[in-house]
């Protein structure tokens, strides 16, 4: 079970990195939503999507750092924002994690709602 989850997170991280590289940051919530719709609830799709998105973007940051002066940029941009360069990197990685997590939660709720509606069960909100 743990190997399967690690493999899923690894493949999902690669997908987040490739789709972000190809289509920009808007690919993160789209992929998170699709993952939430397709993954089973016991697999913790929102948590796995958040970890995978963070890993994918960390890979993109590392790859970009090898192509140019990324640490100098992080130091200067962090100085403008009042953050150390490590804080800016952490903030950069936490952004796609939050996007992927929230989109996967919406996908999971949508899948559960659709399953209830398809089964014919009455959906009632409690008024408490």
């Amino acid at each position: 079970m743990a190997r399967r989850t690690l493999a899923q997170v690894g493949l999902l991280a690669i997908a987040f990195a490739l789709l972000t590289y190809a289509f920009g940051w808007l690919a993160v919530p789209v992929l998170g939503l699709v993952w939430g719709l397709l993954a089973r609830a016991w697999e913790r799709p929102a948590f796995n999507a958040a970890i995978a998105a963070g890993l994918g973007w960390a890979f993109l940051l590392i790859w970009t750092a090898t192509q140019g002066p990324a640490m100098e940029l992080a130091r200067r941009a962090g100085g403008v924002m009042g953050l150390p360069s490590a804080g800016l990197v952490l903030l950069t990685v936490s952004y796609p994690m939050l996007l992927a997590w929230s989109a996967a939660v919406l996908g999971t709720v949508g899948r559960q709602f659709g399953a209830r509606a398809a089964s014919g069960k009455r959906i009632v909100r409690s008024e408490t």
Side-chain angles (χ1 to χ4, degrees):
M1 175 90 122
R3 276 189 187 173
R4 181 177 176 203
T5 302
L6 286 175
Q8 285 178 349
V9 169
L11 291 173
L12 196 57
I14 292 169
F16 274 116
L18 290 175
L19 290 176
T20 299
Y21 182 75
F23 300 108
W25 67 269
L26 284 174
V28 174
V30 171
L31 184 56
L33 180 68
V34 169
W35 179 251
L37 288 169
L38 298 178
R40 295 185 187 124
W42 55 266
E43 294 173 342
R44 302 183 319 188
F47 178 76
N48 291 344
I51 296 299
L55 288 173
W57 273 44
F59 172 75
L60 287 175
L61 281 175
I62 291 168
W63 181 66
T64 304
T66 63
Q67 306 298 315
M71 289 312 294
E72 177 64 23
L73 174 65
R75 186 185 65 74
R76 287 185 183 190
V80 169
M81 298 170 72
L83 292 172
S85 58
L88 184 63
V89 170
L90 183 64
L91 187 64
T92 302
V93 171
S94 65
Y95 176 67
M97 291 177 76
L98 181 61
L99 280 176
W101 176 82
S102 58
V105 166
L106 288 175
T108 302
V109 169
R111 179 178 33 83
Q112 292 170 348
F113 184 78
R116 278 194 192 140
S119 69
K121 291 183 181 177
R122 187 171 171 203
I123 302 171
V124 178
R125 281 193 313 181
S126 68
E127 300 292 328
T128 57

